[in-house]
Amino acid sequence: MPSVRRSLTDAQRREFHDALEARRQEVLARQGRLDASLSDAREARSDGQADDEHDPEGPTMAATWSQLTGMHDDLEVEMTEVEHALSRIEAGTFGLCQRCGKPIGVARLRARPYAELCIDCARAAEAH
Ligand SMILES: [Zn+2]
């Protein structure tokens, strides 16, 4: 009999913890591969291929570089979201909307375990 209001059962909390932990490992692995690509690109760049940028044909080094750094930034954001979600599980606030405090809903959490807002608040946030 829980003394605090909970939106999830213990089994669900474990399920989401495992899903988030798996996600964290996956992001870490992707970051490792991306770091390798970034250092390759950095080497190629300092290899005197600066003229690439003036070549209208094919992908340029600059485009590859900005794509890689964009992916790098996305992974950082994802890692932060996953880590915040894991700490909300620790704190017992996981599954509650960070804005209105209502339960986010298990279906939404299954699709997006690091969701911080309920569907209503997420829609309202997107509308602005
Ligand atoms: Zn909400």
Side-chain angles (χ1 to χ4, degrees):
M1 206 157 298
S3 55
V4 290
R5 181 165 156 253
R6 288 218 184 138
S7 61
L8 299 170
T9 65
D10 285 345
Q12 284 170 336
R13 276 158 52 97
R14 268 197 300 277
E15 175 194 330
F16 289 119
H17 179 273
D18 290 351
L20 284 160
E21 192 55 50
R23 188 84 179 197
R24 201 170 74 87
Q25 296 302 328
E26 193 193 310
V27 174
L28 275 176
R30 275 157 63 198
Q31 279 179 329
R33 286 197 296 272
L34 187 61
D35 281 348
S37 307
L38 274 168
S39 33
D40 284 352
R42 198 175 284 130
E43 268 170 37
R45 227 185 174 191
S46 59
D47 255 8
Q49 293 190 14
D51 281 347
D52 237 25
E53 281 187 51
H54 303 292
D55 184 357
E57 326 272 355
T60 65
M61 203 59 230
T64 307
W65 181 260
S66 70
Q67 194 191 1
L68 289 175
T69 52
M71 282 163 67
H72 182 264
D73 291 349
D74 289 348
L75 285 176
E76 294 267 289
V77 168
E78 191 170 349
M79 183 56 96
T80 306
E81 285 176 335
V82 168
E83 280 175 350
H84 284 176
L86 281 167
S87 63
R88 287 199 299 278
I89 289 182
E90 294 279 312
T93 58
F94 180 82
L96 296 175
C97 177
Q98 300 288 288
R99 196 159 115 167
C100 69
K102 286 183 201 152
I104 291 174
V106 170
R108 177 162 163 76
L109 288 170
R110 286 215 169 102
R112 200 179 148 81
Y114 42 81
E116 295 191 349
L117 300 175
C118 70
I119 192 79
D120 291 338
C121 289
R123 281 199 186 123
E126 266 169 31
H128 289 292

